[in-house]
Structures are given as structure tokens and as C-alpha cells.
């Protein structure tokens, strides 16, 4: 009986390590305190403002750039040339969840692909992995306000 319990414990531990997450992150993904913004996150920008400031070509995130996420089939999701197309792309891959905003991957400190939000595990923007506190705060505030396409 003890051997079976030890074996199960080891397998669970290995699966957590293999996924690159801590036990706390694995059990609370999407609902960690880091993914729920503080009440003083500031006023939430609209998605149009986020797109124009952080996701459009020539911006710090530049997701909608050709060779990045603007290229159909080039990457795992498409951020087209308009805010509406980029929003739809984010919805399709689960970066945002307007029905349950606190589960939006983009604002989660453990699951976000953005280095601005997840400096230890994010890898985007691929060619500019720098800190961006203003971008981080704007995205977190927008998600906290409902992650709407406004």
C-alpha cells in the first residue's frame, strides 16, 4: 500500500515538474492572485486603445506585424491588421476569456506568453523581451474590466 502511494506521489510530482509549473500554479492556474489585478490597477483602456498602443505594427508588442502574428499560418494565432481581427485571434486561442476574465491567459502571471506579465515564462514579443510596466498594467486593467472588444 505504501509503495503504491509513493509511486502515485512521485508521478504527480514529476508531471508538475515536466509541465514547468509549481504545485500552486498547477492547482490555481487562471485564478492566482497574480492574475487578478489589484483594485488600484487604474482605469481600463479600451481594446481599441490596447491594439493601437501595444499590438499594432510599430508598437512595443507589435503582434499585428507581418512575420509575426499578422501572417496567416505563420504563427499559432493570427492578430490581423484591425483591432477586431486581432481580438478574434486572441479569443480563438484562449488568450482572453470575456465570459470569465480572470481566466484570461494573457493577464495570468504564470501562463501569459508576454514577458511584460510573465517574465519567467513568457517569450513574447519574441524580438523584444523587455519589461513594459505600462503595457502590463494596461492589459491587466482591461482584462479586469471584462476583456471586451471595445
Amino acid at each position: 500500500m505504501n509503495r503504491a502511494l509513493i509511486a502515485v506521489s512521485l508521478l504527480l510530482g514529476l508531471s508538475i515538474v515536466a509541465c514547468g509549473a509549481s504545485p500552486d500554479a498547477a492547482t490555481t492556474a487562471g485564478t492566482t492572485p497574480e492574475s487578478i489585478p489589484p483594485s488600484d490597477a487604474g482605469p481600463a483602456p479600451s481594446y481599441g486603445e490596447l491594439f493601437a498602443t501595444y499590438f499594432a505594427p510599430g508598437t512595443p508588442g507589435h503582434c499585428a506585424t507581418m512575420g509575426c502574428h499578422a501572417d496567416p499560418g505563420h504563427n499559432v494565432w493570427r492578430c490581423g491588421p484591425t483591432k477586431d481581427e486581432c481580438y478574434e485571434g486572441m479569443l480563438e486561442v484562449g488568450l482572453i476569456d470575456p465570459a470569465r476574465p480572470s481566466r484570461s491567459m494573457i493577464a495570468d502571471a504564470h501562463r501569459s506568453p508576454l514577458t511584460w506579465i510573465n517574465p519567467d515564462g513568457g517569450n513574447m514579443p519574441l524580438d523584444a523581451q523587455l519589461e513594459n510596466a505600462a503595457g502590463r498594467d494596461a492589459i491587466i486593467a482591461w482584462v479586469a474590466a471584462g476583456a471586451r472588444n471595445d
Side-chain angles (χ1 to χ4, degrees):
M1 177 69 171
N2 285 340
R3 284 186 177 172
L5 186 56
I6 291 170
V8 169
S9 296
L10 285 173
L11 285 174
L12 286 174
L14 288 174
S15 68
I16 290 169
V17 171
C19 293
S22 69
D24 290 339
T27 58
T28 60
T31 59
T32 61
E34 296 88 352
S35 68
I36 301 170
S39 59
D40 63 349
S46 68
Y47 185 74
E49 292 168 323
L50 278 183
F51 180 80
T53 307
Y54 299 106
F55 305 141
T59 64
H62 56 277
C63 310
T65 303
M66 290 306 286
C68 196
H69 293 285
D71 245 345
H74 179 74
N75 248 307
V76 295
W77 69 281
R78 184 170 191 276
C79 175
T82 68
K83 78 170 187 76
D84 295 330
E85 289 179 68
C86 191
Y87 185 87
E88 287 302 315
M90 288 182 174
L91 278 175
E92 287 175 11
V93 296
L95 283 174
I96 53 177
D97 185 347
R100 297 173 299 180
S102 67
R103 292 185 174 226
S104 293
M105 184 187 315
I106 197 167
D108 188 291
H110 300 290
R111 301 180 306 134
S112 180
L114 289 172
T115 57
W116 311 342
I117 296 168
N118 179 6
D120 296 326
N123 63 354
M124 291 287 132
L126 195 58
D127 62 348
Q129 295 182 12
L130 307 170
E131 185 177 320
N132 187 333
R136 176 198 63 219
D137 294 347
I139 291 167
I140 288 173
W142 171 73
V143 168
R148 292 181 303 274
N149 185 9
D150 50 3

